Amino acid sequence: MSDTNNKNKDHIENDPSYKGLQVNSGISQPPSINPRIAERLKKNKRKKYTVDDYVKGILDGDRGILSQAITLIESSKFEHQKVAQEIIEKCLPYSGKSVRIGITGVPGAGKSTFIEAFGKHVTGQGGKLAVLAIDPSSERSKGSILGDKTRMEELSVDLNAYIRPSPSAGSLGGVARKTRESLILCEAAGFDTILIETVGVGQSETAVHSMVDFFLLIKIAGAGDELQGIKRGIMEMADLITINKADGNNIHKAQLARVQFENALHLFPQSPSGWSPKVLTCSAIEKTGIDEIWNAILEYCSHTQQNAYFEQRRSEQAKYWMYETINEQLKDGFYQKQSIKDQIPDFENKVLNDEMSSFVAAFKLLEAYFQDIKNKE
Amino acid sequence: MSDTNNKNKDHIENDPSYKGLQVNSGISQPPSINPRIAERLKKNKRKKYTVDDYVKGILDGDRGILSQAITLIESSKFEHQKVAQEIIEKCLPYSGKSVRIGITGVPGAGKSTFIEAFGKHVTGQGGKLAVLAIDPSSERSKGSILGDKTRMEELSVDLNAYIRPSPSAGSLGGVARKTRESLILCEAAGFDTILIETVGVGQSETAVHSMVDFFLLIKIAGAGDELQGIKRGIMEMADLITINKADGNNIHKAQLARVQFENALHLFPQSPSGWSPKVLTCSAIEKTGIDEIWNAILEYCSHTQQNAYFEQRRSEQAKYWMYETINEQLKDGFYQKQSIKDQIPDFENKVLNDEMSSFVAAFKLLEAYFQDIKNKE
């Protein structure tokens, strides 16, 4: 909705012939960096770390330095990016020793409360937990829990937990890349459980799924309509579905939903992991069912480590991100080129009016693009 | 299985130090062009048609000329491609007036028998049916029914039916493009019902789904294991699932499966078409349940034409294929470049050994690629 409005606004403001009223520019973005971190960063402003300082700090588990390094990853400045890549490269050998868990669910499923309860359970068992997010939408507050710390009161002050909001809005590919790089640094800093949260309405689930070992879908019981918001195909990614809010009068409904989902999952083909997805109920607010979920994750890890799927999938993911980045960049190079941007609407119209086949239009645009690259040496 | 054998064989034969027995080279591919068509083509060999001859012939419904035009589409020769594109462009305004139906199902689900029964039902109602296929695998005979005309005895001699096997093996993108172009010519030739068949084990379902109005999944009843071969996500594409082989002792099992699938489909989010996917039983061999399926398709068409989804989806598909072709070609240009091919294994290894992050590897390869393009003017 707001996205459309923005587009309209841009369109109008870019139109020099537009002499009408100025369109309201709306409220500003919430800060993309935790104010506490920003404060700390400011204090350290004059201290100029070398790459080795960063790496040592991260390996020592220094949360301040970890945060600053992630800020470098998130920066759009070229020199920051360069330093960030060197830090990542040096941290890579120390990364990988964690269980990476993706969490998704529609707004209202109780993700924030769940992460609070789940996170406290993990740190209560002696674990060290980092919570990251992928949320490329510009309407952060609508879905992502990480903007809403009030619901994660305990976890946000837990010294064994580290919470980092999603990188600022940008293309999904860019946001996902930054989150995956931050994950590497968190692992090098000794966090052994990584949660990557996303809001269950976009393309971001696929991105999260491609960087985690285990994918957890949070649902609530209802008359079937709770499914509306979830993108097709997400249920098939889940290694575990938990029906949250199984408390009070809701318990029976939640148990019924559990059986329904279990039956539905039986109809799906088996995952290459050899793991049969589980359906469990829980109440994040009453902190019940959380240990069963954690045990299921541990069970999954030992199962897939035994059959070598765990390592194999990690390797596939590393390759996937190399190829995915190449493909994204190839597309970006094309679609961001001004001459292509100028021509696309005309070709699209011709295709829609059956004046040109989709394929001829594509080939003509490609021809123009490569000619353009060659002409500029 | 046979694929692995071939790889081993190639490996051995390419090894100059190999002095052992020659490995059997196996049986040759069945002809990719219907021998009858090949015969007819040979007869017309000397007749050189102009683009306008082709277009007129197609619009007149001349099956011989239609077949020859499709052969031009499938040709890898540049001059054939050029003529083919002109023919397509002139046929475009006459295309689109059909219902395009995608059909998939694992080998053994009875696709060929189903298409025979379904096709005869369509022509029996006065319809004109074209059957195309997308099957980019090189092991055609394993899955694709169109290599196996013996099971389509009646349909293959029906004057209101036109059957064309899948374009010869190639990249999925290429095969899909050719099938979509052939579809345009078939429509211009007056076929009002287009079936596009694919075998339910690969990526090809997505390609088929992106060029049809209605997607039909053929299943058989069993102990759940019939799902094994179907790729994840395919069930979610289906507008109709039919449980085939609902005959003899199998009827009860098929009806049970129908209920199970119906329950499972309820758990999926609603399709943007506003259509609730149906589950029906049929017996292709006894020709029962076929009319219900055809009626469901007609119902779907009238439903989606009323809510404008039908036209909207067609437009989206035309755009999709323009962008898809661009994206495929951009990737092809990169990955087919020899200098990139040479470097990729090294970068991949570095990524797998944690010596380089996925992203740095990607950016280094891209840099090399664009440098290479610029250097060659």
Side-chain angles (χ1 to χ4, degrees):
Chain A
M1 215 43 169
S2 150
D3 208 44
T4 320
N5 285 341
N6 276 332
K7 266 190 208 142
N8 286 340
K9 199 193 71 181
D10 283 359
H11 178 68
I12 289 169
E13 288 184 351
N14 290 337
D15 180 357
S17 68
Y18 180 70
K19 296 273 185 285
L21 285 167
Q22 279 303 318
V23 176
N24 246 333
S25 59
I27 55 159
S28 68
Q29 281 289 340
S32 67
I33 296 172
N34 185 328
R36 285 191 305 139
I37 295 173
E39 196 53 46
R40 215 181 300 148
L41 278 179
K42 227 178 275 168
K43 265 193 256 161
N44 289 327
K45 210 176 182 178
R46 283 212 184 85
K47 221 186 221 162
K48 180 95 176 150
Y49 292 125
T50 65
V51 168
D52 286 334
D53 291 338
Y54 276 115
V55 174
K56 189 178 174 303
I58 290 168
L59 296 181
D60 284 348
D62 183 321
R63 298 156 64 105
I65 291 184
L66 172 64
S67 289
Q68 288 181 58
I70 294 181
T71 303
L72 289 178
I73 289 177
E74 294 177 354
S75 165
S76 53
K77 283 197 188 159
F78 178 73
E79 62 267 31
H80 290 170
Q81 277 296 316
K82 218 173 141 260
V83 177
Q85 291 304 336
E86 286 181 55
I87 299 171
I88 294 162
E89 207 129 318
K90 296 208 167 166
C91 284
L92 266 175
Y94 304 96
S95 71
K97 288 168 213 81
S98 82
V99 48
R100 303 167 181 170
I101 304 162
I103 291 195
T104 193
V106 290
K111 281 200 301 296
S112 44
T113 323
F114 179 84
I115 293 181
E116 165 94 343
F118 184 82
K120 288 305 290 178
H121 183 79
V122 171
T123 59
Q125 307 263 315
K128 288 192 72 187
L129 176 86
V131 186
L132 306 171
I134 294 185
D135 181 7
S137 78
S138 53
E139 302 172 75
R140 206 86 61 72
S141 50
K142 270 202 179 169
S144 172
I145 52 114
L146 295 184
D148 190 2
K149 287 278 179 64
T150 55
R151 293 193 203 158
M152 298 169 71
E153 270 178 25
E154 289 185 58
L155 200 63
S156 58
V157 295
D158 188 327
L159 285 176
N160 287 314
Y162 175 80
I163 304 178
R164 178 85 185 187
S166 176
S168 349
S171 75
L172 174 58
V175 170
R177 173 176 72 78
K178 289 168 186 178
T179 302
R180 197 173 132 90
E181 291 178 334
S182 305
L183 177 157
I184 290 166
L185 300 196
C186 288
E187 288 180 342
F191 291 98
D192 53 28
T193 308
I194 316 276
L195 285 192
I196 303 183
E197 179 259 353
T198 192
V199 54
V201 286
Q203 296 282 326
S204 41
E205 277 72 21
T206 315
V208 172
H209 187 247
S210 326
M211 59 175 82
V212 298
D213 307 311
F214 190 91
F215 198 73
L216 176 59
L217 176 57
I218 304 181
K219 290 199 160 285
I220 39 173
D225 52 298
E226 80 272 21
L227 285 150
Q228 298 294 337
I230 283 278
K231 212 188 116 236
R232 297 182 153 224
I234 290 180
M235 229 172 82
E236 298 204 41
M237 289 182 195
D239 297 301
L240 194 158
I241 296 176
T242 180
I243 319 287
N244 191 17
K245 306 195 182 176
D247 41 42
N249 292 331
N250 224 8
I251 289 187
H252 181 66
K253 236 162 67 178
Q255 278 164 347
L256 203 69
R258 194 182 72 84
V259 174
Q260 283 183 325
F261 278 111
E262 253 173 7
N263 288 340
L265 285 178
H266 277 307
L267 293 169
F268 285 127
Q270 222 199 348
S271 150
S273 64
W275 168 261
S276 306
K278 295 202 169 189
V279 189
L280 298 172
T281 58
C282 74
S283 164
I285 222 154
E286 296 188 348
K287 299 193 198 312
T288 53
I290 305 296
D291 46 344
E292 283 87 350
I293 293 171
W294 178 239
N295 289 338
I297 293 173
L298 294 180
E299 197 191 317
Y300 174 89
C301 290
S302 96
H303 171 83
T304 52
Q305 272 157 356
Q306 258 165 34
N307 70 12
Y309 178 79
F310 192 91
E311 264 315 305
Q312 184 197 326
R313 188 166 146 81
R314 285 257 175 117
S315 296
E316 272 166 20
Q317 288 178 339
K319 280 202 284 181
Y320 169 85
W321 282 103
M322 179 176 108
Y323 290 114
E324 186 64 14
T325 307
I326 290 171
N327 300 343
E328 281 303 312
Q329 292 292 320
L330 287 172
K331 284 198 265 178
D332 266 19
F334 181 86
Y335 294 107
Q336 298 303 320
K337 204 169 198 69
Q338 196 54 48
S339 59
I340 296 297
K341 275 187 190 170
D342 295 341
Q343 290 180 70
I344 273 193
D346 184 39
F347 278 98
E348 218 181 63
N349 270 336
K350 283 196 175 124
V351 166
L352 291 181
N353 296 332
D354 282 342
E355 289 165 35
M356 195 182 273
S357 83
S358 312
F359 302 103
V360 170
F363 285 112
K364 291 204 169 164
L365 282 164
L366 285 161
E367 209 173 42
Y369 172 66
F370 282 108
Q371 201 50 53
D372 214 42
I373 294 183
K374 281 182 201 160
N375 288 346
K376 288 192 201 121
E377 25 63 89
Chain B
M1 213 43 168
S2 149
D3 208 44
T4 319
N5 286 341
N6 275 333
K7 267 190 208 143
N8 287 339
K9 197 192 74 183
D10 283 358
H11 177 68
I12 290 170
E13 286 183 352
N14 291 337
D15 179 358
S17 68
Y18 180 70
K19 298 271 187 281
L21 285 169
Q22 279 302 318
V23 176
N24 246 334
S25 58
I27 56 161
S28 66
Q29 280 290 339
S32 66
I33 296 171
N34 184 326
R36 284 189 305 141
I37 295 173
E39 195 55 45
R40 216 181 301 148
L41 278 178
K42 227 178 274 170
K43 264 193 258 161
N44 288 327
K45 210 177 183 179
R46 276 200 196 96
K47 221 189 224 159
K48 178 99 174 151
Y49 291 123
T50 65
V51 168
D52 285 335
D53 290 339
Y54 276 114
V55 174
K56 190 179 173 303
I58 290 168
L59 296 181
D60 285 349
D62 183 320
R63 300 157 62 105
I65 291 184
L66 172 64
S67 290
Q68 286 181 59
I70 294 182
T71 303
L72 289 179
I73 289 177
E74 294 177 354
S75 165
S76 52
K77 283 196 187 160
F78 178 73
E79 62 266 31
H80 290 171
Q81 276 296 315
K82 217 172 143 262
V83 177
Q85 292 304 336
E86 286 181 55
I87 298 171
I88 294 162
E89 207 129 319
K90 296 207 167 168
C91 284
L92 266 175
Y94 305 96
S95 71
K97 289 168 213 78
S98 81
V99 47
R100 304 168 181 170
I101 303 163
I103 290 194
T104 193
V106 290
K111 282 200 301 298
S112 45
T113 323
F114 178 85
I115 293 180
E116 166 93 345
F118 183 82
K120 288 305 289 178
H121 182 79
V122 171
T123 59
Q125 307 264 314
K128 288 192 73 187
L129 176 86
V131 186
L132 306 172
I134 292 185
D135 180 9
S137 78
S138 53
E139 301 172 76
R140 206 86 61 75
S141 49
K142 271 202 176 170
S144 172
I145 52 115
L146 296 183
D148 190 1
K149 288 278 180 61
T150 54
R151 294 193 203 158
M152 299 169 71
E153 268 178 26
E154 289 185 56
L155 200 62
S156 59
V157 296
D158 187 327
L159 285 177
N160 288 313
Y162 175 79
I163 303 179
R164 177 86 187 189
S166 176
S168 347
S171 76
L172 173 58
V175 170
R177 174 177 71 78
K178 289 168 185 176
T179 302
R180 196 172 132 90
E181 290 178 336
S182 304
L183 177 158
I184 290 166
L185 300 196
C186 288
E187 288 180 342
F191 291 98
D192 53 28
T193 308
I194 316 276
L195 285 192
I196 303 183
E197 179 259 351
T198 192
V199 56
V201 285
Q203 295 283 326
S204 41
E205 276 74 21
T206 315
V208 172
H209 187 247
S210 326
M211 59 175 81
V212 298
D213 307 311
F214 190 91
F215 198 73
L216 175 60
L217 175 57
I218 304 180
K219 290 198 160 287
I220 39 171
D225 52 298
E226 80 272 19
L227 286 149
Q228 297 294 337
I230 283 277
K231 210 188 116 238
R232 298 185 150 223
I234 290 179
M235 230 173 82
E236 299 204 41
M237 288 181 195
D239 296 301
L240 193 157
I241 297 176
T242 180
I243 319 286
N244 191 17
K245 307 197 181 174
D247 41 42
N249 292 332
N250 224 10
I251 289 186
H252 181 67
K253 237 164 61 179
Q255 277 163 347
L256 204 67
R258 193 182 72 85
V259 175
Q260 283 182 325
F261 277 112
E262 254 173 7
N263 288 339
L265 286 178
H266 278 305
L267 292 169
F268 285 127
Q270 223 199 348
S271 151
S273 63
W275 169 261
S276 306
K278 293 201 173 194
V279 188
L280 297 171
T281 57
C282 74
S283 164
I285 222 155
E286 295 188 348
K287 297 193 201 312
T288 53
I290 305 296
D291 46 346
E292 282 87 352
I293 293 170
W294 178 238
N295 289 339
I297 294 172
L298 294 180
E299 198 190 316
Y300 174 89
C301 290
S302 98
H303 171 83
T304 51
Q305 272 157 355
Q306 258 164 35
N307 69 13
Y309 179 80
F310 192 91
E311 264 315 305
Q312 183 197 327
R313 189 166 145 81
R314 285 257 176 116
S315 296
E316 272 166 20
Q317 288 178 340
K319 280 202 282 180
Y320 168 85
W321 281 102
M322 179 176 107
Y323 289 114
E324 186 65 13
T325 307
I326 290 171
N327 300 344
E328 281 303 312
Q329 292 292 320
L330 287 173
K331 284 198 267 178
D332 267 18
F334 181 86
Y335 293 107
Q336 297 304 319
K337 202 168 199 72
Q338 196 54 48
S339 59
I340 296 297
K341 275 188 190 169
D342 294 342
Q343 291 181 70
I344 272 193
D346 185 39
F347 278 98
E348 219 180 61
N349 270 336
K350 283 196 175 123
V351 166
L352 291 181
N353 297 331
D354 282 341
E355 289 164 36
M356 196 182 272
S357 83
S358 312
F359 302 103
V360 170
F363 285 111
K364 291 204 169 165
L365 282 165
L366 285 161
E367 210 174 41
Y369 171 66
F370 282 107
Q371 202 49 52
D372 215 43
I373 294 183
K374 281 181 200 160
N375 288 347
K376 289 194 199 119
E377 24 63 271

